[in-house]
Amino acid sequence: MTAERALRARRALDRRLDVLPPAASLQPPHDGWVRAIRDALGMSLADLGQRMGIAAQSVAALEAAERSGGIKLDSLRRAADALDCDLAYVLLPRHSLEATVRKAAVAVVEREAAAVQQTMRLEDQDTVLDDTALGEAAQAVIRSGRTWK
């Protein structure tokens, strides 16, 4: 993927993700979403199992798998359908994608600059990378595709 295409993709995803609530507000209930919604609907394990075409014990195992984080998306999707729910699967970046890429590029520049600065210090020619130069170098790293190398 070209740097320009990646930039367009980052910006488009950042716009889509910007309207979503923070991840903390989407944390599952203690017993999991399936159990919480099933209970709120007044549905027994057997009721949900019948709607899913599985045994009540299998529903209990599914709920346990959700609590432990080992549930498969396909199983969760089937439970959601049986509960008349939609499954929303999303990765919510902790920061904007643009900020994540910029931070990674700055780290590349700082690693590379540290090696040069060490050599310069040995020759009594200490250098300092100012914010403007750091930003320009980071943009060059992003354009070059070396951000994640």
Side-chain angles (χ1 to χ4, degrees):
M1 176 178 284
T2 67
E4 185 60 35
R5 189 169 171 207
L7 175 63
R8 285 193 308 272
R10 271 195 309 279
R11 287 180 177 165
L13 273 175
D14 274 341
R15 282 191 302 275
R16 284 184 66 187
L17 294 167
D18 196 40
V19 299
L20 296 176
S25 69
L26 299 173
Q27 292 301 309
H30 176 41
D31 288 331
W33 287 111
V34 174
R35 171 75 185 265
I37 292 173
R38 180 177 64 76
D39 285 349
L41 292 172
M43 197 181 285
S44 70
L45 287 169
D47 294 333
L48 181 55
Q50 184 177 16
R51 292 175 63 99
M52 292 181 70
I54 60 176
Q57 299 89 324
S58 296
V59 174
L62 181 142
E63 289 178 353
E66 184 188 7
R67 276 192 306 277
S68 71
I71 195 166
K72 293 181 179 179
L73 282 176
D74 181 59
S75 298
L76 196 55
R77 187 171 290 110
R78 287 181 45 231
D81 285 342
L83 293 166
D84 196 27
C85 293
D86 290 321
L87 175 65
Y89 175 78
V90 62
L91 299 177
L92 293 173
R94 293 181 185 114
H95 310 283
S96 74
L97 297 174
E98 190 61 34
T100 300
V101 168
R102 188 173 298 119
K103 180 180 176 183
V106 165
V108 169
V109 171
E110 287 174 342
R111 274 195 313 272
E112 292 173 354
V116 171
Q117 288 173 339
Q118 177 61 24
T119 301
M120 297 300 282
R121 271 190 225 108
L122 292 172
E123 298 174 3
D124 273 343
Q125 298 178 22
D126 201 8
T127 61
V128 176
L129 192 59
D130 65 21
D131 288 343
T132 302
L134 181 64
E136 290 171 0
Q139 284 302 317
V141 166
I142 293 168
R143 284 190 304 275
S144 74
R146 294 183 301 120
T147 306
W148 305 108
K149 304 281 185 256

